Amino acid sequence: MMRKSIWIVLGLGLLMACSAKTEKIDYTKLSEEEVLAEAKKIAHETIIVDGHMDLPFRMYNLGNHLNGEVYDFINRQTEGNIDYVRAKEGGLDAPFMAIYIPASYQEKGGAKVLADTLIMMVERLVNTWPDKLALAKSPQEIEENFKKGLLSLPMGIENGAAIEDDINNLQYFFDRGIRYMTLTHGKDNLIGDSSYDTARTNNGLSDFGKKVVLEMNRLGMIVDVSHVDDKTFFDVAEVSKAPLVATHSSARHFTPGFERNVSDEIIQKIAEKKGMVMITFGGSFIDQGYAAAGDSIRAHIQEWLKTNNLTMQDSAAQAYIKAYRAQHAPTVHVSKIAEHIDHVVKLVGIDYVGLGSDFDGVGDSLPEGMKDASMYPNLIAELLKMGYSREDIEKICHKNFFRVWNDILNAAG
């Protein structure tokens, strides 16, 4: 009898332990401090992938590489949105390094050379601090780096102009570690038409562009549809045999008429293709009022320069512009990013959304609470307050992207 009682007590204890382990926390009932503490815990225990950061081009503009210096990525910096310290503070594990090619290189040449230079600069970071940084060419490598405590630096090309007019350069860049390519950027190119260009040079995806998409499918390179116009997107969706990703786009629902963001119809087509939208953070991307205020500031400055017969380069103008912008700068809160994520989820489901900050690419237009890579917990906290579970947030942070990336790799060949 005694033995039976012991087993009953042990059984009840085990049952209670299992129940406690599987019990879900209702984050909506916690205080702000408690929610943020939980958000920080989640951020550091799960992998966070960010689809797009412009650190390489910012390093390039600093010119350190010209005299053989390596940018001090490993220590906290006062400029830019990311360094190793802030990434670790925010729980960021795999920021995609954008190999950005400005549209001007389509006209003057040198796009491939610039791409090679930027790739080399990322490689030098990794080679300089191999105990802290590592390249990553697959979800598996990011997971392995995470277990080792290493920050992964996967790479993607922003602007297909990098391959110039030679489709064989896709294989070349894939071999160099590039795992996605944004088809266009600020202007139409040989591949297709840009959301920022009104020329509509190709009337969508060009014949060359169709070959590019299929070759990317063959290689297992992610087709990034951020920056393309709507016609080009739907052409790509028809041609591609693999899922599509918008690595840094937000929902046009909140910014009517802004074609750079993705419409509900595009979001639905991306989900139909089993891809995903990675929400970007810039103020003008996530809030119509912020964008309008920015337009008003620029219009005022242009009129003031004209009236005073000055240019942006004049010191007197720079002082006035700095003061005026500081006085009239619009603000937006990190919660707006969460609203964009929530819109995608309500439209097509939790499996088709992720994060694509565009850090180092949107200047000082970032929301309050999301100014740099240390602040991912603030966004996670907003999602928790909206009722998202830890499982949901893990999908948003990396599981959705890993699923899509693996599907693209499996469809290759």
Side-chain angles (χ1 to χ4, degrees):
M1 190 67 178
M2 177 69 74
R3 188 173 296 172
K4 184 177 181 182
S5 299
I6 291 171
W7 281 112
I8 290 171
V9 171
L10 288 173
L12 286 171
L14 182 61
L15 180 62
M16 290 174 67
C18 289
S19 297
K21 191 174 183 179
T22 58
E23 182 183 356
K24 291 187 177 181
I25 301 171
D26 186 351
Y27 298 104
T28 63
K29 294 182 178 179
L30 301 181
S31 68
E32 292 279 344
E33 292 77 12
E34 289 171 330
V35 171
L36 184 56
E38 287 294 326
K40 289 179 178 178
K41 186 171 183 288
I42 293 170
H44 288 92
E45 289 179 354
T46 193
I47 296 172
I48 298 179
V49 175
D50 190 302
H52 191 94
M53 292 197 189
D54 281 299
L55 173 67
F57 195 67
R58 191 170 74 80
M59 292 192 299
Y60 180 82
N61 283 334
L62 291 172
N64 302 58
H65 63 288
L66 297 175
N67 53 16
E69 295 179 18
V70 180
Y71 175 73
D72 185 11
F73 177 74
I74 217 67
N75 293 303
R76 187 187 299 276
Q77 301 297 314
T78 57
E79 301 294 326
N81 307 126
I82 180 175
D83 50 54
Y84 179 80
V85 175
R86 286 180 286 176
K88 282 295 184 180
E89 287 176 354
L92 176 64
D93 302 291
F96 263 85
M97 297 288 97
I99 306 303
Y100 165 54
I101 309 301
S104 59
Y105 283 78
Q106 299 166 199
E107 301 161 0
K108 67 182 181 182
K112 181 174 179 289
V113 171
L114 175 59
D116 274 325
T117 301
L118 297 179
I119 292 169
M120 176 271 294
M121 293 174 74
V122 175
E123 291 172 339
R124 286 184 67 187
L125 292 180
V126 171
N127 292 335
T128 303
W129 295 287
D131 58 325
K132 293 180 173 65
L133 310 174
L135 298 175
K137 301 174 185 177
S138 67
Q140 182 181 354
E141 289 188 8
I142 292 176
E143 288 179 325
E144 290 170 354
N145 292 338
F146 178 73
K147 291 173 183 176
K148 297 174 184 175
L150 299 173
L151 180 69
S152 293
L153 298 181
M155 294 184 288
I157 285 177
E158 184 178 26
N159 191 355
I163 68 168
E164 298 178 338
D165 60 354
D166 186 353
I167 201 167
N168 293 317
N169 281 330
L170 284 169
Q171 179 75 64
Y172 169 80
F173 283 121
F174 190 83
D175 292 343
R176 291 218 60 187
I178 295 298
R179 287 303 178 265
Y180 76 65
M181 187 171 77
T182 318
L183 298 180
T184 68
H185 193 257
K187 291 185 178 181
D188 302 345
N189 61 22
L190 294 176
I191 294 170
D193 295 340
S194 164
S195 62
Y196 285 138
D197 199 336
T198 58
R200 303 300 186 250
T201 306
N202 306 284
N203 190 32
L205 190 67
S206 69
D207 290 339
F208 176 67
K210 293 174 184 176
K211 295 176 183 177
V212 166
V213 169
L214 291 174
E215 177 65 2
M216 291 173 72
N217 289 169
R218 186 190 72 80
L219 291 170
M221 184 183 288
I222 298 165
V223 178
D224 178 16
V225 293
S226 290
H227 281 288
V228 301
D229 77 344
D230 288 6
K231 177 64 165 60
T232 300
F233 168 79
F234 284 106
D235 288 349
V236 172
E238 185 176 340
V239 171
S240 180
K241 298 176 181 178
L244 306 175
V245 177
T247 65
H248 57 303
S249 295
S250 293
R252 199 182 303 169
H253 170 83
F254 297 94
T255 57
F258 185 40
E259 196 174 10
R260 170 65 179 81
N261 277 344
V262 286
S263 67
D264 284 1
E265 292 76 16
I266 287 176
I267 294 169
Q268 289 167 329
K269 177 58 74 170
I270 287 174
E272 183 184 315
K273 297 281 293 184
K274 306 301 181 186
M276 66 184 297
V277 177
M278 306 180 85
I279 299 298
T280 198
F281 298 172
S284 61
F285 290 81
I286 60 174
D287 185 72
Q288 186 77 8
Y290 188 101
D295 290 342
S296 177
I297 290 170
R298 283 187 290 273
H300 171 84
I301 289 171
Q302 288 300 321
E303 184 62 31
W304 185 87
L305 289 170
K306 183 179 178 181
T307 300
N308 290 276
N309 196 29
L310 294 170
T311 69
M312 295 282 283
Q313 286 69 43
D314 292 318
S315 57
Q318 289 175 5
Y320 176 83
I321 291 167
K322 182 178 180 180
Y324 186 85
R325 282 178 172 164
Q327 184 178 356
H328 297 87
T331 60
V332 64
H333 190 257
V334 61
S335 58
K336 199 69 181 181
I337 302 172
E339 289 181 32
H340 280 254
I341 293 170
D342 191 53
H343 179 76
V344 176
V345 172
K346 287 176 177 174
L347 188 65
V348 295
I350 188 65
D351 297 321
Y352 307 102
V353 67
L355 308 175
S357 64
D358 208 0
F359 278 153
D360 278 349
V362 289
D364 58 0
S365 71
L366 291 157
E368 296 301 319
M370 205 65 206
K371 295 294 188 183
D372 62 45
S374 70
M375 298 185 180
Y376 289 91
N378 293 338
L379 176 55
I380 293 173
E382 293 299 324
L383 293 168
L384 292 175
K385 288 187 286 185
M386 294 172 76
Y388 282 80
S389 68
R390 178 174 179 137
E391 292 76 15
D392 293 333
I393 289 167
E394 288 175 349
K395 284 188 173 186
I396 293 166
C397 287
H398 78 279
K399 288 184 177 179
N400 288 341
F401 184 72
F402 280 8
R403 171 187 58 79
V404 173
W405 195 357
N406 280 322
D407 286 350
I408 290 167
L409 292 172
N410 291 335

